[in-house]
Amino acid sequence: MGADMDRAGDRADDDHGAGGAAVSSAGTSDAVRVSRRDDAVRAAVEQGLLGPDRPIVALLDVPGIRASAAALHAAFDAVTAPGTPVLHTFAVKATPLVPVLRLLREQGIGAEVASPGELALATAAGIPPGRTVLDSPAKTPAELREALALGVAVNADSPQELDRIDIAVRSAATASPLGIRVNPQVGGGSIGALSTATATSKFGVALRDEGARAWILRAYADRPWLTRLHAHSGSQGMPLPLMARGVAETYALAEEINRHVGRRQVDTIDIGGGLPVDFTSDATTPTYARYARLLAQATPGLFDGRYGLVTEFGRSLLAKHGTVLARVEYAKSAGGRAIAVTHAGVQVATRTVYAPESWPLRIAAYDAKGRPKTGPDVVQDVAGPACFAGDLLAEGRPLPLLEQGDHVAALDTGAYYFAHHYAYNSLARPGIYGFAPAGGDAGGDAGGVRFAVVREPQTLDEIVAESGGAHTRSLTDL
């Protein structure tokens, strides 16, 4: 109970300060989201999205996604001078699903892409090139030419890439806003693989390396068409003050560039994304409001209207609104430990299975009818279907005892989980469905839950086709 109270206090500070009524509203929002999820789980079982022949499914909370997009807009509107151009983009890598991108487009969110595939997804979702940003450390000449022809914003990741852009802009006019990504080298967070502002990060121009700052000043002075500056210091595991420091360093560099060239050449700062997600509870914390206020306090000049802003949030927009739901196929025990063998494992939760300390997931227990399961907690493992011992969603987790035919839900999986399939054992990709209450956004009767297909379950024929089924004799005929 104490930990829950602490999290509630954090949420109050994040969203509303000392205002009691507002704090209650924030708590209610989280509670409504949990109620919608419970209704959707029960409805998925009742409506046959999940069953003996469909033992795993992924669910996306559509009202929740809309609410996150609205919260992002509101947070930056509250600290930004009126009339400031602000483009919020979604990091497509977080949930590369066309219907999700289309939903976000309708909420005023553009796309940050990092490959030709992601650009194709954004285009298929109808996101205009003018609301798309291309970031990647390994852009090919063809990829750059396509982006510049379309008018997609491009952030050069290295001096060599800028040389390629030089050639491209000399050969053909472009409407693309162009900039350079810098690495402010402010340090890393608790997950090294997601810390992109370390001394030796592969991303951007390392700002503190010898000669780097002078090179950047020359690059802008020699290229009047360089009008943006970009940095992204990291994501999950990054403390907010360190993220804010990276943004402050980038803003200071923009000011220095403009002083150096004698005009306001850099007119837009792309601050990246990276807001971490609380995977320990249903609370939405830290919030966009808290982060925006922290940035405004640390770097007030960033929000005074002299610079346009671009953001690239991903995980924080989607994570809380996704659930992986799987049947318990068998319940067994070994060495005195109860084990629930389910159909959700490494294929949908790769990071959790291989790095559980960095990526623990909350697990919720539901009974055979999809209702929250009650009863005394029993320490047990929740295992996946893959043929290796480490395929565990949770190990030694206290939950109501899971039995054959029950269901487990892996929570907070809307980003970087079920849309990033790992084809171990040729396990099929699960179907993904968006849901919303039939009568509006509030929780209610499970029978009133509407579902929409986001991605069909993968068929066995599709697995064979992906695995070279059309070329069965190609090697034997050599």
Side-chain angles (χ1 to χ4, degrees):
M1 178 66 73
D4 290 341
M5 291 299 292
D6 288 343
R7 284 193 290 268
D10 288 344
R11 186 164 65 253
D13 290 342
D14 282 349
D15 291 330
H16 306 287
V23 170
S24 176
S25 174
T28 300
S29 176
D30 291 332
V32 168
R33 176 161 45 80
V34 173
S35 178
R36 278 199 308 267
R37 181 181 71 220
D38 287 346
D39 289 345
V41 169
R42 190 160 82 255
V45 175
E46 291 175 354
Q47 297 181 31
L49 296 184
L50 191 75
D53 297 325
R54 278 187 162 189
I56 181 170
V57 70
L59 305 177
L60 280 169
D61 179 356
V62 173
I65 295 170
R66 290 189 174 120
S68 285
L72 173 57
H73 285 297
F76 280 80
D77 287 349
V79 299
T80 304
T84 301
V86 178
L87 171 62
H88 296 296
T89 67
F90 174 66
V92 173
K93 65 181 74 67
T95 309
L97 297 167
V98 172
V100 169
L101 303 182
R102 181 70 179 197
L103 174 64
L104 291 171
R105 172 189 179 273
E106 293 186 357
Q107 308 308 308
I109 307 290
E112 185 266 339
V113 301
S115 72
E118 289 184 357
L119 179 56
L121 296 178
T123 301
I127 297 175
R131 298 184 65 80
T132 303
V133 179
L134 173 62
D135 295 315
S136 162
K139 306 179 193 74
T140 66
E143 190 177 348
L144 288 169
R145 287 194 298 270
E146 179 186 15
L148 296 177
L150 290 172
V152 168
V154 177
N155 291 311
D157 194 78
S158 67
Q160 291 172 327
E161 185 181 320
L162 188 57
D163 290 342
R164 289 182 173 179
I165 294 174
D166 281 337
I167 295 169
V169 299
R170 284 198 297 266
S171 62
T174 179
S176 293
L178 300 171
I180 295 176
R181 177 174 181 168
V182 297
N183 170 11
Q185 294 175 293
V186 293
S190 61
I191 302 177
L194 299 188
S195 299
T196 55
T198 60
T200 58
S201 170
K202 72 178 186 180
F203 291 101
V205 177
L207 194 53
R208 299 184 184 183
D209 282 13
E210 185 177 355
R213 204 172 193 98
W215 177 85
I216 290 170
L217 294 177
R218 288 196 306 272
Y220 278 85
D222 294 343
R223 299 168 180 84
W225 40 265
L226 282 176
T227 59
R228 289 191 173 185
L229 192 63
H230 171 47
H232 172 75
S233 295
S235 52
Q236 193 68 19
M238 289 289 289
L240 296 193
L242 192 59
M243 292 171 60
R245 184 178 165 198
V247 172
E249 295 273 354
T250 308
Y251 166 79
L253 178 60
E255 295 277 88
E256 184 178 353
I257 291 168
N258 287 345
R259 287 194 302 270
H260 180 75
V261 300
R263 63 185 184 282
R264 194 170 68 92
Q265 179 173 322
V266 175
D267 59 19
T268 300
I269 298 177
D270 185 334
I271 65 172
L275 191 72
V277 169
D278 176 12
F279 285 98
T280 68
S281 77
D282 284 307
T284 303
T285 181
T287 61
Y288 293 121
R290 176 183 171 190
Y291 184 46
R293 288 197 302 269
L294 177 62
L295 291 176
Q297 292 163 4
T299 314
L302 183 63
F303 299 94
D304 65 10
R306 291 179 299 123
Y307 291 98
L309 294 176
V310 178
T311 72
E312 302 172 352
F313 295 103
R315 179 181 291 104
S316 54
L317 276 166
L318 263 291
K320 287 290 180 185
H321 309 305
T323 301
V324 174
L325 186 62
R327 275 174 55 88
V328 177
E329 194 66 44
Y330 300 108
K332 59 195 296 187
S333 65
R337 173 78 59 82
I339 303 171
V341 181
T342 80
H343 291 270
V346 71
Q347 85 277 29
V348 292
T350 312
R351 284 176 168 174
T352 293
V353 168
Y354 285 122
E357 296 82 8
S358 295
W359 298 103
L361 281 176
R362 291 185 300 133
I363 304 295
Y366 293 87
D367 67 16
K369 294 184 178 180
R371 300 169 303 194
K373 189 154 191 180
T374 59
D377 283 347
V378 174
V379 174
Q380 55 199 300
D381 293 349
V382 179
C387 288
F388 70 98
D391 187 27
L392 300 171
L393 282 186
E395 187 172 6
R397 189 72 58 87
L399 293 165
L401 183 63
L402 291 161
E403 301 169 285
Q404 186 175 28
D406 283 345
H407 300 90
V408 297
L411 308 180
D412 307 330
T413 48
Y416 296 104
Y417 279 92
F418 48 70
H420 296 70
H421 189 71
Y422 178 45
Y424 199 101
N425 283 149
S426 295
L427 292 164
R429 289 190 296 269
I432 302 173
Y433 300 86
F435 67 86
D441 287 355
D445 178 23
V449 176
R450 295 174 295 138
F451 291 100
V453 176
V454 175
R455 187 184 71 194
E456 295 279 4
Q458 188 180 28
T459 67
L460 296 181
D461 286 344
E462 289 170 336
I463 292 174
V464 172
E466 279 190 0
S467 301
H471 309 285
T472 302
R473 298 188 60 86
S474 64
L475 299 181
T476 58
D477 289 344
L478 277 177

